[in-house]
Every structure is written in structure tokens, then in C-alpha cells.
Amino acid sequence: MNPIRTFTLLVSVALATLLIAAAPALAQDDADDVAEVEQQVEDDAAEDDDHRIALAETPRDRVALLLFAAMALGGTVAFLQGRRQMKGSHEQASGEFRWR
């Protein structure tokens, strides 16, 4: 790895770590905010006639959905890469298990 790529990777990982650590703190609601959101949801439900259920009603729920989606995407990519490795699709992979 060249130094620029290493530095870019290090900065990206540091920013991702900070975002993940800050997400719960940013998603916290005060009691007044929760009551306000619930009142707004009730008012919106009274005004709308479509009676659809919201997927994520609060910012905390939206953050949780984003984290679950990122985790599912990462797991899928890891599974596909492992599958390619075991099949021998990579140039340097023979598909054999070797102790290192």
C-alpha cells in the first residue's frame, strides 16, 4: 500500500468511527421533544386519510435503520468475498485451506 492510500484509509476509518460513536448521542431526545413528535404524528394521522404506518417515526429509529442496513450490506459483501475466495475466483486464491 502506498502512503496516500494508507492515510486516506486511516482518515476514513477514523471518521466512520466518530460518526458511529456520535450517532446515539445525536439521536437522543428530550422528554419535551418526544411528546412534541408524538403530538405531531397524531396530528398528521388525523389529517391524512391514507392510514399508512410510518417505517421510522423518530430520528433514533431512522439511525437504527441506517445502522442495520449498513451492517446487512457489510455482511453481504463479506459473504460474497469469502465465497469468491473459496471458489478460487481470485487470481491468487486456489480455494484450498492453508494454515499460516
Side-chain angles (χ1 to χ4, degrees), residues 7-89:
F7 179 72
T8 305
L9 183 64
L10 180 64
V11 169
S12 300
V13 168
L15 286 175
T17 303
L18 287 174
L19 287 174
I20 289 173
L26 294 174
Q28 285 183 346
D29 297 327
D30 294 338
D32 296 334
D33 292 339
V34 172
E36 196 173 295
V37 168
E38 289 175 355
Q39 183 64 31
Q40 184 180 5
V41 168
E42 289 175 6
D43 291 343
D44 291 343
E47 291 175 4
D48 296 336
D49 292 335
D50 57 4
H51 301 292
R52 289 186 287 178
I53 298 172
L55 184 61
E57 295 177 354
T58 63
R60 182 176 290 173
D61 294 341
R62 290 184 195 112
V63 169
L65 285 175
L66 288 174
L67 289 174
F68 282 135
M71 190 171 50
L73 179 66
T76 303
V77 169
F79 174 76
L80 293 175
Q81 289 296 332
R83 186 171 167 256
R84 286 180 58 199
Q85 180 77 20
M86 293 307 288
K87 285 175 62 178
S89 298

